[in-house]
Amino acid sequence: MDPQPPVNNLEVKAGVLLMVLLLLVVGSALYVMNARGAFDRTQKLVLMSDDSEGVVTGMEMTFAGFAIGTVSRIELADDGNVRIVVDVPTKDAKWLRSSSIFTMEKALVGGTKIRAYSGVLSDPALEDGAVRQVLRGDAAAEIPKLVAQVRDLLNNLNGLTREGAPLSQSLASLQATTAALNGPNGAMGMLFGNEDDAKKIVTTIDRANTLLSRVDKLSARLDGLVANADKQVFGAGGDGSAAQGGLVNDARATVQQLTAVLNDAQGSLKKVDGLLVEAQGIATNTREATTDLTALRAEVEASLRKVDSLINDLNSKWPFSRESEIVLP
């Protein structure tokens, strides 16, 4: 029998090297898959949208800037909406709550992004397989609306600023009003529209001021006359207190004197009454009674003359004098 040929060491070494390389590739793939969470336990989250433009399989869903899920499948539902299935690792599912909100944003620069927002972390956790509506925000879709609004705004501005527009007329009127205010007649010229009427108003105001000054002077003179009248009639002092003199004080003193005289006359009449009673009771003493009556009559006549003199004196003074006249300074 022929001897077997010797094994080629180079082939063995090459085979071993290939096996090592294959193990390295498989290990690296497994490591990358493990690092990307391929072997982690996940739960499903279904996001419903009316458009899936920009959404691709493998896209990440972020929460506060960190990736917490991956889009695993995109399918069309029976009602025409899009079902976006997201795999969320169980360790990251704690950030999703029953009150969480999901958005799909399309920026002008960059791709579409899916974000999750959880405002209240104390709410119940989001269950596995939950279906939520995603809110869409497309900045590019708002550009036509924005352009249309800008066009309308520019048209309105052109309408407001064109010649003969109400705004132009208002600005012209305002300019004319400002010029009138800056004119020589100021606000008067603006209110009355012409210089002649404004001058008439200014002249009237000057005359009114002159009349008021004259009235003030006349009022001061009347105050002085009233003060002098008070002093002469009531005898008022310079400080406002009652002083001696004055017609009222003189009349008061005369009335007091007249009262005293009348009291004396009343006493005399009482004596006459007593004497008359005695004259009626004593008829035999006629001569003596007549003498007494003559003396008493003389006293009565003297009292009456005093009363008549006081009455005449009182009538000659104010306010009883009929032809009295008060001369004011």
Side-chain angles (χ1 to χ4, degrees):
M1 294 180 63
D2 296 333
Q4 295 180 355
V7 179
N8 192 348
N9 293 330
L10 293 177
E11 294 179 357
V12 174
K13 292 180 180 179
V16 172
L17 182 59
L18 290 175
M19 290 294 296
V20 172
L21 290 176
L22 180 61
L23 290 176
L24 289 175
V25 171
V26 172
S28 299
L30 294 176
Y31 176 78
V32 171
M33 293 176 65
N34 183 60
R36 297 180 61 87
F39 303 104
D40 294 340
R41 296 181 56 187
T42 59
Q43 68 179 42
K44 299 294 183 181
L45 171 64
V46 180
L47 300 178
M48 304 297 296
S49 176
D50 57 353
D51 188 6
S52 63
E53 183 180 359
V55 180
V56 295
T57 303
M59 178 184 293
E60 294 180 344
M61 182 182 69
T62 61
F63 174 82
F66 293 90
I68 61 171
T70 305
V71 176
S72 60
R73 189 170 67 255
I74 303 173
E75 58 189 13
L76 191 63
D78 296 336
D79 56 357
N81 290 324
V82 179
R83 290 169 51 90
I84 303 174
V85 181
V86 181
D87 292 336
V88 181
T90 305
K91 62 183 181 61
D92 293 329
K94 62 182 179 179
W95 303 114
L96 301 179
R97 301 293 171 173
S98 59
S99 59
S100 297
I101 298 175
F102 302 92
T103 62
M104 183 170 60
E105 304 172 4
K106 294 181 180 179
L108 295 176
V109 179
T112 303
K113 297 180 181 179
I114 299 177
R115 291 189 174 94
Y117 299 92
S118 298
V120 183
L121 295 177
S122 59
D123 288 344
L126 189 66
E127 65 275 9
D128 188 8
V131 179
R132 290 290 186 272
Q133 189 71 27
V134 65
L135 303 178
R136 295 178 61 249
D138 190 355
E142 298 295 330
I143 293 178
K145 296 180 181 179
L146 182 62
V147 171
Q149 292 177 357
V150 171
R151 185 182 297 110
D152 293 339
L153 179 60
L154 292 176
N155 292 332
N156 293 332
L157 289 176
N158 291 330
L160 289 174
T161 56
R162 72 174 183 272
E163 185 177 0
L167 180 59
S168 299
Q169 296 177 358
S170 299
L171 292 176
S173 300
L174 181 60
Q175 186 176 3
T177 302
T178 304
L181 286 174
N182 294 330
N185 295 320
M188 288 296 181
M190 182 193 69
L191 291 176
F192 294 97
N194 57 76
E195 187 176 357
D196 295 336
D197 292 340
K199 288 181 178 180
K200 291 179 181 179
I201 293 298
V202 173
T203 304
T204 303
I205 292 175
D206 293 338
R207 291 177 179 177
N209 292 330
T210 304
L211 180 60
L212 288 176
S213 62
R214 292 179 180 178
V215 169
D216 292 337
K217 293 179 180 178
L218 181 59
S219 177
R221 293 183 63 184
L222 288 176
D223 291 340
L225 290 176
V226 171
N228 292 331
D230 290 341
K231 185 175 181 180
Q232 292 182 4
V233 174
F234 298 100
D239 56 353
S241 61
Q244 298 296 330
L247 295 178
V248 174
N249 292 330
D250 294 342
R252 186 182 297 112
T254 304
V255 170
Q256 292 176 355
Q257 294 177 5
L258 179 60
T259 302
V261 172
L262 291 176
N263 291 330
D264 294 340
Q266 185 178 5
S268 300
L269 291 175
K270 287 181 179 180
K271 291 180 181 180
V272 171
D273 291 336
L275 291 175
L276 290 174
V277 171
E278 291 180 357
Q280 291 176 1
I282 308 173
T284 58
N285 297 327
T286 303
R287 183 177 294 176
E288 295 178 0
T290 301
T291 303
D292 293 335
L293 286 173
T294 301
L296 183 59
R297 181 178 179 181
E299 292 180 3
V300 171
E301 288 178 353
S303 299
L304 291 176
R305 283 193 296 270
K306 292 181 180 180
V307 171
D308 184 67
S309 176
L310 290 175
I311 290 174
N312 291 332
D313 188 14
L314 185 62
N315 288 330
S316 65
K317 297 182 179 181
W318 185 86
F320 300 96
S321 178
R322 298 180 181 178
E323 299 179 357
S324 60
E325 179 180 3
I326 300 174
V327 180
L328 298 177

